[in-house]
Amino acid sequence: MVERVLENQRLSREVKALQSSDVEPKAHQDLIGRGEAMLQVSKEIALSAGSNATVLITGESGTGKEVVARLIHTHSGVAGPFVAINCAAIVDTLLESELFGHEKGAFTGASERKQGKFELAQDGTLFLDEIGELAPPLQAKLLRVLQEQTFERVGGSQQIRSSARIIAATHRDLFAEAAAGRFREDLTYRLKVISIHLPPLRERLEDIPLLAEALVARIARKIHKPAAQLTDATLAALKGYDWPGNVRELENLLTQALVHARGNVLTPDLLLFRQQGSTGSPPTTTGSGTTPVERTLDEVEAEHIQRVLDHTGGHKGNSCEILGISRPALDRKIKKYDLTLP
């Protein structure tokens, strides 16, 4: 009977985790790359999966830190769910409740007890993305959880034991942040029991053909279009770009190209590199060595969303799927940029 009760509790936590907007299940993604740098990352993932130690994943934005975290979780064989939270996306006043939960009446608007991500991730993995943005008070509370493996809900006094494996990620140098007084050095050591660094895409250009082919196939399925071939000239243009946005930027660029493609071949003229706007070749530098920026990020985003809306005939569901955003987020952007529906 006790075993059945514990199993029901575990299943209940997993269902609640999957129902949470921040922990929606995502399609499994493999780590793509045959270069020396990615082979080393693959070895580190395998070593991490065999341990329950805390992992810190570092690297620039868009390098695939969450993909690595999910792979560690998948190969570790734990029974619980993978729960992710972006520490930079939630204001400090709400983040504590999101992480640790709260009791009914703990603050204005707390009409019922809520489980936090630590509870939802019991027997599984809690992925703390952008951990470098965590406010000092929450750093102290997280350190205590890592040390004592217990926590309390906001407004509560009951000690709840945490069995979640912690994987954190950041694009910052946490030791440099600690030296500047913005991050706790003792917490950095607790998080960095195992460390995995993801190289930027510009340092593994040999992986771009494999990455591009895999992304094109995935994007084509997502937007319900036939997979397209990349010409040698297209691959050369991709390898000649410096990729400030890394793999995330590559995926976005190929999505735009597939949306605008009329046939089953992606040619260089379809590549809208963000620095130079609309030509199919990598941006050239000026005599001073700087790259000209002709449009603002808002202008580029507005133009891309309008093109996706035009492509889907104004179907918001399909547009959200292509853009990778929620329906409310799309509605806000339509209003913000005064976009038109076909």
Side-chain angles (χ1 to χ4, degrees), residues 4-23:
R4 285 199 296 269
V5 169
L6 291 173
E7 178 66 10
N8 286 337
Q9 287 180 338
R10 185 189 68 78
L11 292 174
S12 177
R13 286 196 300 267
E14 189 164 353
V15 168
K16 289 180 180 179
L18 294 176
Q19 289 173 342
S20 171
S21 60
D22 292 320
V23 292

Side-chain angles (χ1 to χ4, degrees), residues 83-305:
V83 180
I85 184 168
N86 188 322
C87 299
I90 304 173
V91 296
D92 296 340
T93 52
L94 296 178
L95 185 56
E96 183 178 9
S97 173
E98 287 296 317
L99 285 172
F100 305 108
H102 62 250
E103 297 288 351
K104 180 179 179 180
F107 49 83
T108 303
S111 57
E112 59 183 5
R113 172 186 286 180
K114 176 184 176 180
Q115 288 184 318
K117 297 299 186 287
F118 270 94
E119 284 184 81
L120 294 174
Q122 294 282 28
D123 302 320
T125 302
L126 176 59
F127 176 56
L128 303 173
D129 198 9
E130 297 296 351
I131 191 70
E133 312 303 318
L134 205 63
L138 289 179
Q139 292 177 30
K141 192 162 186 178
L142 176 59
L143 178 63
R144 183 189 171 199
V145 176
L146 293 176
Q147 290 175 334
E148 307 295 334
Q149 294 188 317
T150 60
F151 64 93
E152 301 170 359
R153 299 189 189 100
V154 177
S157 57
Q158 177 188 358
Q159 291 290 315
I160 302 171
R161 187 160 185 82
S162 171
S163 62
R165 196 243 182 108
I166 306 299
I167 301 179
T170 180
H171 68 280
R172 299 185 182 277
D173 181 339
L174 293 187
F175 284 111
E177 293 293 299
R182 292 187 291 266
F183 202 84
R184 296 181 64 114
E185 187 175 18
D186 49 0
L187 177 56
T188 301
Y189 284 114
R190 285 283 180 177
L191 293 171
K192 203 174 182 179
V193 176
I194 299 176
S195 178
I196 299 177
H197 179 72
L198 292 181
L201 189 54
R202 63 182 174 275
E203 293 181 6
R204 57 185 190 102
L205 297 177
E206 70 276 10
D207 292 334
I208 283 184
L210 280 175
L211 269 170
E213 290 175 6
L215 288 171
V216 164
R218 184 191 307 163
I219 295 163
R221 290 192 298 269
K222 189 175 181 180
I223 65 175
H224 309 295
K225 289 190 70 173
Q229 296 180 341
L230 293 94
T231 67
D232 290 341
T234 302
L235 290 174
L238 293 174
K239 293 180 72 172
Y241 184 54
D242 62 355
W243 299 108
N246 294 294
V247 179
R248 185 180 296 125
E249 183 180 6
L250 174 61
E251 183 173 8
N252 183 65
L253 186 80
L254 293 174
T255 301
Q256 294 181 54
L258 273 173
V259 167
H260 300 143
R262 299 303 179 190
N264 62 347
V265 176
L266 294 186
T267 52
D269 59 292
L270 294 170
L271 303 178
L272 304 178
F273 293 101
R274 68 177 179 177
Q275 278 99 332
Q276 90 295 350
S278 60
T279 66
S281 58
T284 57
T285 58
T286 63
S288 61
T290 59
T291 302
V293 179
E294 300 176 359
R295 296 188 297 171
T296 66
L297 185 59
D298 279 355
E299 289 173 336
V300 174
E301 183 178 53
E303 179 183 340
H304 180 53
I305 294 174

